[in-house]
Amino acid sequence: MSEPRWFKSSHSANNGSCVEVAFAGAGVLARDSKNPAAGHLRFPRTAWARLLRTTG
């Protein structure tokens, strides 16, 4: 399994409070860009899409 390709979310603030996301198989990973070693959360793609629709 290869390392996920992380990128900063377009929903992140410009003050350094950034969320990074990566697509991994049927899921989406999310982590704090200021502390990536702390781990990540995994969401099913359908749940991630629902989250973006409700916060957009």
Side-chain angles (χ1 to χ4, degrees), residues 1-3 5-7 10-11 13 16 19-20 25-29 32 40 42-44 46-47 50-51 53-54:
M1 186 169 171
S2 62
E3 183 69 24
R5 185 168 167 225
W6 294 94
F7 61 94
S10 61
H11 293 275
V19 172
E20 291 180 324
V28 177
L29 309 177
D32 180 352
H40 63 268
R42 177 183 292 270
F43 299 91
T46 54
R50 225 175 8 251
L51 173 69
R53 280 195 306 272
T54 60

Side-chain angles (χ1 to χ4, degrees), residues 15-28:
N15 64 3
S17 300
C18 295
V19 172
E20 291 180 324
V21 296
F23 297 103
V28 177

Side-chain angles (χ1 to χ4, degrees), residues 6 20 30-41:
W6 294 94
E20 291 180 324
R31 70 181 182 183
D32 180 352
S33 66
K34 294 187 296 183
N35 191 6
H40 63 268
L41 299 172

